[in-house]
Amino acid sequence: MSFTEEEKKKALQLYDETGSIAKVIHKLGYPSRQNMYTWIKNRDIEKKRKKYDATDSPGHRRHPSLEIKLEILHRCFEEGEDIKSISEEYGYSRTSIYSWRKLYLSGGAAAIMNKKKDLPRGTLIVNEDADKGSDNNIELAAKIRDLELENDILRQTIEILKKIRASIC
């Protein structure tokens, strides 16, 4: 027997409300158990087939800003929010979030900045100057990590001093 999309939708909605195939069949008088299982399976497959918008729009950047990445990392790994829900909310994959975290832990905020998107496409020219530039980048990244660590230490020191001052007063 063939069912309309409206009948399928109504049955699936009732299933979502009750959580029981038997209750759906009893209340509506249709479909068979096998039809319900098939409809649920097909609906779940469609939900998993998310079509990502590959365009680079202001609402959803293909390469998110450093601020957005840090906000996502803060919510996931400091506040302990569910990575799957944050991933769905912002529209970036869980793989990307874990990748940003790995980069951040190894190289700080400088490591997750968007450098690749600004590079022009074309042939690569290998020369000695490029190697020197690479060394400079490594030195700069190390210096940034050191400065970020020093900054964190200073912030913690200020917090401790504030607590000591508050306890004295």
Side-chain angles (χ1 to χ4, degrees):
M1 181 173 193
S2 180
F3 296 95
T4 66
E5 287 301 314
E6 187 63 35
E7 290 172 324
K8 290 178 186 179
K9 186 177 177 182
K10 186 176 180 181
L12 289 170
Q13 185 176 7
L14 185 58
Y15 171 74
D16 290 339
E17 292 170 7
T18 63
S20 168
I21 291 176
K23 289 180 182 177
V24 171
I25 295 170
H26 181 355
K27 184 167 184 173
L28 297 178
Y30 71 91
S32 66
R33 282 186 170 279
Q34 186 57 47
N35 279 346
M36 274 305 293
Y37 284 120
T38 303
W39 295 348
I40 293 167
K41 178 183 171 191
N42 289 342
R43 178 183 65 175
D44 291 344
I45 289 172
E46 286 301 315
K47 282 184 179 178
K48 288 181 182 177
R49 280 190 203 153
K50 292 182 180 175
K51 294 182 180 178
Y52 292 102
D53 185 10
T55 60
D56 193 21
S57 66
H60 178 59
R61 305 304 300 188
R62 200 174 328 167
H63 301 284
S65 68
L66 176 62
E67 291 77 22
I68 290 175
K69 289 178 182 179
L70 290 175
E71 181 181 329
I72 290 171
L73 292 176
H74 173 74
R75 288 181 63 186
C76 290
F77 300 106
E78 291 178 13
E79 293 180 1
E81 292 185 47
D82 182 46
I83 293 173
K84 182 178 180 184
S85 63
I86 298 295
S87 168
E88 291 170 356
E89 178 182 334
Y90 283 89
Y92 298 104
S93 70
R94 287 180 279 176
T95 305
S96 293
I97 294 172
Y98 283 112
S99 173
W100 299 336
R101 179 178 187 237
K102 183 177 179 182
L103 287 170
Y104 182 78
L105 291 174
S106 67
I112 59 173
M113 289 174 52
N114 295 328
K115 298 172 192 154
K116 294 178 184 175
K117 71 176 183 180
D118 297 327
L119 297 176
R121 294 180 182 256
T123 58
L124 295 175
I125 300 172
V126 179
N127 59 27
E128 293 176 19
D129 293 337
D131 291 338
K132 290 177 187 173
S134 176
D135 291 341
N136 287 339
N137 287 343
I138 293 170
E139 289 173 21
L140 287 173
K143 195 169 198 170
I144 288 170
R145 279 192 302 273
D146 291 342
L147 290 171
E148 286 176 341
L149 178 61
E150 183 180 343
N151 192 13
D152 289 342
I153 292 169
L154 290 172
R155 286 183 185 182
Q156 291 297 321
T157 304
I158 289 170
E159 290 299 317
I160 292 169
L161 291 173
K162 284 180 183 178
K163 289 177 183 177
I164 292 171
R165 184 176 179 191
S167 66
I168 292 173
C169 296

